[in-house]
Amino acid sequence: MNYFITLIKRNWLFFIIMTAVLIFMNILQTPQKSTGEPILSEFISHIITIALINVLMAVSLNLVNGFTGQLSLGHGGFMCIGAYSASMITKIILPASGNAGWLVFILALIIGGITSGLIGYLIGLPTLRLKGDYLAIVTLGFSEVIRSIMVISDDIANVLNSIGLVSISNVIKEIGGPRGITGIDERSILPVVLIIVAIGIIMMRNLIYSSFGRAFQSISEDEIASETMGINTTKYKTMAFSISAFWAGVGGGLLAHKLLFISPNNFTFLKSIEYLIYVYAGGIGSISGSILSAMGLTCVLEFTRTLNLDEWRFVFYALLLIVLMLKKPAGLMGNKEFRFMIPREYR
Amino acid sequence: MKKNEKMVWLAIGVSFTILYILKYGFQGFLQQLVNGLQLGSLYALIALGYTMVYGIIKLINFAHGDLFMFGAYISAFVGAYLAGRGLIGLAFIPAMLLSMIVTAVLGMSIEKVAYKPLRNKPRLSVLITALGVSLFLENFFALPAEKVFFPFNKIVFGPNMLSFPKLIDDRIFNFAGISISMVKSIDFFVAILLMIILELIVKKTRIGKAMRAVSFNREAAYLMGIDVNFIIMVTFGIGTSLASAAGTLYALTFCCLDNPFMGIWPGMKAFIAAVLGGIGNIPGAMLGGFLMGIIETYASSINPQLGDVSAFSLLIIVLIFKPAGLMGKFEIEKV
Amino acid sequence: MLEVNNLYVYYGVIEALKGISFNVAEGEIVTLIGANGAGKSTTLRAISHLIPYKGQIKLNNEEVRPDLPPHKITKLGIAHIPEGRIIFGNLTVKENLELGAYTRNDKKINEDMEKVLSVFPRLKERLSQLGGTLSGGEQQMLAVARGMMQNANLMLLDEPSMGLAPMLVQEIFDNLVKINKAGTTILLVEQNANMALEIADRAYVLETGSIIIQGTSKEVAENERVKEAYLG
Ligand SMILES: Nc1ncnc2c1ncn2[C@@H]1O[C@H](COP(=O)(O)OP(=O)(O)OP(=O)(O)O)[C@@H](O)[C@H]1O
Ligand SMILES: [Mg+2]
């Protein structure tokens, strides 16, 4: 409880702004009397929702790649875990939950996040002692293994069935193999996503500006020196990794309840690469940068969808990335933050 | 590796082999070994490029798989031209050589335009640039020609499947109950030949010595009067041309090129093979490539879906127990 | 032969060299001494164009273009033996020596190899051994030998005595004198001021990026400040 009081005390301005934004958004989304159309069309609010989820993904990846200096390439895998866990829960429980639907949804998101965080912890323990490129490769490998497990889930279910574990087998069948899960309830509406993403960002920001954050920073600057200074680097690295995985899982849950259909193909390593691009384009070690670039790049990508230039989109996207890295190798923001992103006592 | 650790690995390997033989018979085992060697030779060729580039500038060149794709397409065009003039059979050799040259030029240009300006910048920014280059190559060449303005409409490959001209009449030889296809043996022997040539270049020539010197210590190489930028460019050229050769052999074997995204998976697996062998280590890449091909072939003969999983599981196991790969030395590196 | 005028080097905001000037005449051994962090290595690295600098570097009365890449400096006849036994550990001793002659295409490479190996007979026994497996002292010898293979007119040596047993230091310094007698001009950076002053014709003392004392070795060796700080 104390934590929440400090949370609100430290971020009261933010909460007021959030409330205002929410009310404003509500107005924008109600159909206007004259036209019957809301100012914020369905299409635009869809894009903003996706962009916000990407923001959460980028910020959480930045926690590991930027602030702790560990190169992880497996963010899509954690998103995959969260998406599958959350949508299986809502698929099974929601129909029976009546009025408690939103509560179930939130719980499903949290459970998705926790599952993902736990797996992140388990993966992190042995792998985080690897350095640099090796860690990158292993995380990438893990995310592909996770995805492959989803693909072969039917076979796993069959095996379980044949050895008599029928109920577990039935649950695993829900994963749907390469077909994925369809008919997910639409729950990730814009205001809900906005609130959850905002909470995620605030919590991660507060973490970064805490003594934990300083330990992360010190690891990212010089791991060996931190170790000799008595910082338990393994502990902090796994911690950053699991928290990052937690939020990636939440992001996955949100995405699933927006797209309403998920399959292993949503979470290939290209997905991880996408988030990596947001982080580096925005600037490693800058939350503001991640927010900006995830918002900006998603919008660019989604709006160009309308221009009937479909094939060209990724060409431009790739060129944009190359030019950005060549002209601004430290990303848009470098490691700077917008002033309002920094807690008062650090400004 | 400690001795008893080695024994454990050996025991695991042997028990898998025995289980496999019990289930599929000895002939089945040998048949898959032959198939695995063929696939492995392609992986090894691609892995060599990854490892050479990593060895010299410590960059995971994510675009390498796309250069494999590029090489396959170029040789398909050259091959079609030759086949159209009735030249088949050994005609795959000029097609391969020409595509090796063209792809090497592309590889070296990429290095010059996208990687070289970042040479002294944080390593991660080059890595991201490499991802960008990879995305660019895939998506650019997948553009349909009618959507692209002149002159680019002449060079894009389009998003559709392209069939590779039948340059070689494949024949299957039966040998003690194992069928060996001619094309696949060509893959294997051409790959081995290229590897021998590479080994000779690296070990015996002046350029090879300079390449090893640059990869060990760039500054000291400068002090020897070695034009480091030139050597890096040559390394890219050689690595890229090997990927291109693998592309030609791949196309020759599978008869069609799916689309310009076809390089992603072979590239990915070859990369894992390079890591498996110890990235930066040339014999390691060859070993890793063959190992990868063989294990994947066995796994997918059990269940087709297991192929990809096995690749990544193998990688994870090796990296956890022997982080520097099978033949690499461990060094702590800062990101 | 070598003339350096107003050489400035910056590492970010740190001014590592504050406009130093010195010269080395043909056939001389000149030593540059100074404490840790004085800027000795920085000076040599600037001459070799491994780092950007401001100021003028003249070789045989001609200005060296500041934008020349480092490998072209070698072609001008300068051999730089860097600090800290930087040899190629993944190459054999023989290959290391061959790389010393990388830019040469004259007929005398093999002859020179023999000569160098007669100076360092220990290396001769280890020609096919990997550089990385040599002992520290042997690696330092290899570094010097490799520099000799460059057949340069001017040799820049960065602390060839570092971390070596006194016997070995003596051996290497004796060889430097030999090399010099054979016609190579030497600019020697050293912390071991005693030994350096013994073989050098002239000396410069560098302190936090500036030359504070200069003169013949004898003069410098007798300087009170030098005695106190470097000769102990
Ligand atoms: N790459 C670098 N970045 C920042 N500062 C540097 C760098 N290299 C050297 N310096 C600084 O420049 C100064 C001169 O360094 P230099 O290596 O020339 O000293 P030195 O005289 O060779 O010392 P030593 O006898 O210990 O080798 C030192 O203060 C050092 O910390
Ligand atoms: Mg020094």
Side-chain angles (χ1 to χ4, degrees):
Chain A
M1 206 57 229
N2 251 339
Y3 176 76
F4 284 102
I5 294 171
T6 15
L7 190 70
I8 291 169
K9 251 192 199 156
R10 282 176 73 172
N11 305 294
W12 59 273
L13 186 64
F14 189 85
F15 281 104
I16 292 179
I17 293 176
M18 280 298 292
T19 323
V21 169
L22 279 179
I23 294 169
F24 185 59
M25 214 168 252
N26 204 19
I27 297 171
L28 289 182
Q29 280 190 312
T30 36
Q32 281 183 302
K33 277 196 194 93
S34 48
T35 58
E37 287 281 315
I39 296 173
L40 204 60
S41 72
E42 190 129 331
F43 174 65
I44 291 179
S45 59
H46 176 83
I47 292 176
I48 296 179
T49 313
I50 298 285
L52 281 171
I53 297 173
N54 288 344
V55 165
L56 183 65
M57 296 300 294
V59 173
S60 57
L61 183 61
N62 206 341
L63 188 64
V64 172
N65 282 33
F67 292 99
T68 319
Q70 308 296 310
L71 181 54
S72 158
L73 288 185
H75 220 43
F78 295 119
M79 189 179 209
C80 179
I81 297 172
Y84 270 89
S85 326
S87 24
M88 282 177 59
I89 293 171
T90 52
K91 271 216 82 158
I92 295 171
I93 302 181
L94 260 190
S97 61
N99 287 336
W102 285 107
L103 190 65
V104 171
F105 172 59
I106 298 296
L107 277 178
L109 285 181
I110 293 175
I111 293 174
I114 289 176
T115 318
S116 167
L118 268 180
I119 292 180
Y121 180 77
L122 292 179
I123 293 176
L125 266 188
T127 54
L128 281 168
R129 66 190 174 87
L130 301 175
K131 303 281 187 296
D133 299 347
Y134 288 110
L135 180 65
I137 300 153
V138 174
T139 45
L140 185 128
F142 265 115
S143 77
E144 280 301 318
V145 168
I146 288 167
R147 200 178 67 86
S148 308
I149 290 174
M150 302 302 169
V151 174
I152 58 168
S153 62
D154 283 347
D155 302 84
I156 298 175
N158 288 339
V159 172
L160 289 176
N161 203 1
S162 67
I163 57 171
L165 296 166
V166 180
S167 57
I168 297 182
S169 157
N170 284 343
V171 172
I172 288 180
K173 270 232 162 63
E174 286 287 318
I175 294 177
R179 300 176 311 282
I181 303 180
T182 51
I184 303 168
D185 215 45
E186 175 158 19
R187 291 283 169 173
S188 297
I189 53 173
L190 184 51
V192 175
V193 174
L194 183 63
I195 292 175
I196 294 173
V197 171
I199 292 177
I201 292 174
I202 291 180
M203 286 177 66
M204 282 186 272
R205 184 203 70 171
N206 291 352
L207 183 76
I208 286 160
Y209 287 100
S210 69
S211 60
F212 295 112
R214 280 190 291 280
F216 296 164
Q217 202 90 44
S218 140
I219 291 171
S220 89
E221 271 154 26
D222 191 339
E223 196 165 335
I224 300 163
S226 318
E227 188 85 57
T228 44
M229 269 164 16
I231 294 174
N232 184 346
T233 54
T234 312
K235 174 183 147 194
Y236 286 105
K237 283 196 287 182
T238 22
M239 184 174 163
F241 201 65
S242 342
I243 293 175
S244 160
F246 172 86
W247 286 108
V250 173
L254 288 174
L255 186 71
H257 292 82
K258 181 71 208 172
L259 299 181
L260 316 185
F261 157 65
I262 52 170
S263 79
N265 279 341
N266 291 57
F267 306 102
T268 58
F269 97 99
L270 284 177
K271 199 85 186 165
S272 306
I273 299 299
E274 192 186 327
Y275 300 128
L276 204 69
I277 287 172
Y278 297 145
V279 170
Y280 287 93
I284 48 169
S286 166
I287 301 178
S288 320
S290 293
I291 297 175
L292 262 188
S293 71
M295 272 300 209
L297 288 174
T298 315
C299 290
V300 169
L301 210 56
E302 295 292 326
F303 281 114
T304 45
R305 231 191 255 285
T306 56
L307 295 179
N308 193 23
L309 282 174
D310 223 35
E311 292 87 356
W312 276 95
R313 275 169 57 221
F314 278 97
V315 179
F316 283 132
Y317 194 47
L319 278 179
L320 187 70
L321 185 70
I322 297 171
V323 172
L324 192 71
M325 289 325 283
L326 286 175
K327 296 288 165 218
K328 263 185 159 314
L332 273 181
M333 299 283 293
N335 57 3
K336 301 200 176 52
E337 297 284 359
F338 291 134
R339 226 174 108 79
F340 66 83
M341 286 299 299
I342 307 172
R344 175 144 309 138
E345 58 271 33
Y346 291 93
R347 277 177 200 164
Chain B
M1 231 186 294
K2 278 179 244 114
K3 194 164 173 224
N4 48 359
E5 214 176 292
K6 240 182 203 160
M7 296 308 286
V8 171
W9 288 113
L10 206 63
I12 295 176
V14 169
S15 40
F16 266 113
T17 312
I18 292 174
L19 280 177
Y20 192 91
I21 293 176
L22 283 181
K23 182 133 195 262
Y24 297 92
F26 193 60
Q27 259 179 19
F29 173 76
L30 281 183
Q31 178 69 62
Q32 298 303 340
L33 186 65
V34 169
N35 295 349
L37 280 175
Q38 178 266 335
L39 186 64
S41 58
L42 296 187
Y43 286 156
L45 278 185
I46 311 175
L48 280 169
Y50 271 117
T51 245
M52 289 172 73
V53 167
Y54 189 89
I56 209 149
I57 54 171
K58 301 287 174 283
L59 166 72
I60 301 175
N61 183 14
F62 279 102
H64 196 62
D66 306 307
L67 292 164
F68 157 86
M69 170 278 291
F70 185 81
Y73 271 88
I74 296 296
S75 59
F77 297 140
V78 180
Y81 178 86
L82 293 174
R85 278 169 184 56
L87 293 164
I88 52 166
L90 287 181
F92 87 90
I93 294 177
M96 183 171 92
L97 291 180
L98 196 60
S99 93
M100 279 169 82
I101 293 169
V102 176
T103 314
V105 170
L106 177 67
M108 293 191 286
S109 327
I110 289 173
E111 194 274 329
K112 189 156 179 82
V113 174
Y115 301 157
K116 191 175 158 209
L118 293 170
R119 185 107 0 114
N120 299 317
K121 296 278 157 31
R123 262 175 59 198
L124 290 181
S125 48
V126 198
L127 198 70
I128 306 296
T129 312
L131 286 171
V133 171
S134 165
L135 276 179
F136 175 77
L137 292 177
E138 288 156 11
N139 289 286
F140 176 75
F141 285 114
L143 289 172
E146 66 274 13
K147 284 228 176 177
V148 189
F149 49 85
F150 186 81
F152 294 120
N153 56 357
K154 297 286 179 222
I155 53 175
V156 297
F157 303 153
N160 303 321
M161 185 140 95
L162 180 78
S163 63
F164 194 79
K166 211 164 166 46
L167 287 179
I168 293 179
D169 240 347
D170 198 8
R171 258 174 285 166
I172 310 276
F173 302 102
N174 269 305
F175 187 77
I178 304 160
S179 50
I180 297 176
S181 106
M182 180 145 98
V183 171
K184 289 186 176 181
S185 343
I186 288 179
D187 286 355
F188 181 75
F189 288 111
V190 171
I192 295 286
L193 181 69
L194 288 172
M195 285 180 215
I196 292 173
I197 294 175
L198 175 72
E199 189 67 17
L200 287 178
I201 292 178
V202 171
K203 280 277 148 69
K204 299 285 179 215
T205 65
R206 196 172 107 105
I207 288 229
K209 239 177 283 167
M211 279 162 60
R212 282 181 288 151
V214 173
S215 80
F216 192 80
N217 187 321
R218 196 181 297 172
E219 208 163 74
Y222 262 131
L223 294 180
M224 299 298 106
I226 296 172
D227 185 346
V228 170
N229 286 330
F230 174 73
I231 295 294
I232 291 176
M233 204 174 78
V234 171
T235 309
F236 259 87
I238 295 177
T240 311
S241 63
L242 291 177
S244 156
T248 310
L249 296 176
Y250 176 93
L252 210 57
T253 319
F254 297 105
C255 303
C256 51
L257 310 176
D258 286 342
N259 54 42
F261 297 90
M262 65 174 254
I264 296 180
W265 281 106
M268 194 79 198
K269 287 179 188 161
F271 170 58
I272 295 179
V275 175
L276 208 61
I279 194 155
N281 182 315
I282 288 182
M286 301 181 194
L287 176 74
F290 281 113
L291 213 60
M292 183 84 181
I294 291 170
I295 292 179
E296 186 188 326
T297 310
Y298 280 122
S300 40
S301 75
I302 297 169
N303 177 340
Q305 300 282 5
L306 274 181
D308 295 349
V309 189
S310 71
F312 286 106
S313 318
L314 189 68
L315 170 76
I316 290 165
I317 294 169
V318 168
L319 280 186
I320 288 177
F321 290 101
K322 198 159 181 345
L326 295 174
M327 298 181 74
K329 287 184 224 65
F330 194 68
E331 52 177 306
I332 289 190
E333 43 176 338
K334 245 190 84 63
V335 185
Chain C
M1 160 164 247
L2 175 75
E3 192 181 328
V4 172
N5 292 321
N6 284 318
L7 187 67
Y8 288 88
V9 170
Y10 299 89
Y11 292 116
V13 291
I14 303 168
E15 193 176 39
L17 289 183
K18 302 167 183 162
I20 62 168
S21 305
F22 63 94
N23 62 71
V24 183
E26 182 133 21
E28 270 189 319
I29 299 184
V30 171
T31 180
L32 198 60
I33 52 183
N36 290 116
K40 308 182 294 296
S41 303
T42 303
T43 310
L44 297 193
R45 292 165 59 77
I47 296 173
S48 290
H49 284 197
L50 290 174
I51 42 174
Y53 61 87
K54 271 200 267 173
Q56 191 188 39
I57 297 174
K58 278 166 117 179
L59 197 67
N60 299 324
N61 292 323
E62 255 179 73
E63 178 168 6
V64 179
R65 279 191 19 226
D67 56 347
L68 224 50
H71 64 273
K72 293 253 169 82
I73 299 295
T74 313
K75 293 217 176 80
L76 296 178
I78 297 181
H80 178 170
I81 293 134
E83 187 174 5
R85 305 167 191 165
I86 309 292
I87 48 118
F88 300 108
N90 58 342
L91 270 66
T92 63
V93 171
K94 181 149 189 273
E95 287 172 328
N96 265 281
L97 293 174
E98 284 166 355
L99 274 180
Y102 183 79
T103 53
R104 293 172 58 183
N105 44 19
D106 50 308
K107 298 270 156 21
K108 287 175 61 194
I109 295 179
N110 284 333
E111 200 178 303
D112 279 0
M113 176 94 80
E114 284 307 315
K115 221 190 284 170
V116 168
L117 288 175
S118 67
V119 174
F120 295 104
R122 280 171 196 242
L123 295 179
K124 192 164 189 173
E125 299 153 24
R126 298 176 166 77
L127 273 180
S128 55
Q129 197 173 326
L130 282 185
T133 61
L134 295 180
S135 82
E138 289 162 353
Q139 291 188 4
Q140 185 66 58
M141 286 184 215
L142 178 57
V144 176
R146 194 184 56 189
M148 285 167 68
M149 287 299 291
Q150 292 183 294
N151 198 15
N153 303 321
L154 173 64
M155 221 171 179
L156 315 174
L157 287 120
D158 200 342
E159 304 200 29
S161 74
M162 191 162 64
L164 296 187
M167 285 277 291
L168 268 178
V169 177
Q170 193 61 54
E171 199 179 321
I172 286 189
F173 272 59
D174 287 348
N175 283 319
L176 288 183
V177 175
K178 268 192 222 161
I179 296 167
N180 176 249
K181 290 263 158 63
T184 308
T185 311
I186 291 181
L187 174 59
L188 172 67
V189 157
E190 260 305 332
Q191 284 209 47
N192 189 339
N194 264 324
M195 302 262 331
L197 288 173
E198 220 164 86
I199 66 164
D201 301 310
R202 290 189 300 118
Y204 292 87
V205 178
L206 200 58
E207 214 168 274
T208 54
S210 310
I211 288 176
I212 52 158
I213 299 166
Q214 63 186 69
T216 64
S217 298
K218 201 150 164 272
E219 286 163 12
V220 172
E222 279 163 7
N223 184 301
E224 282 307 315
R225 200 158 158 198
V226 174
K227 270 188 189 162
E228 200 177 302
Y230 302 103
L231 299 175

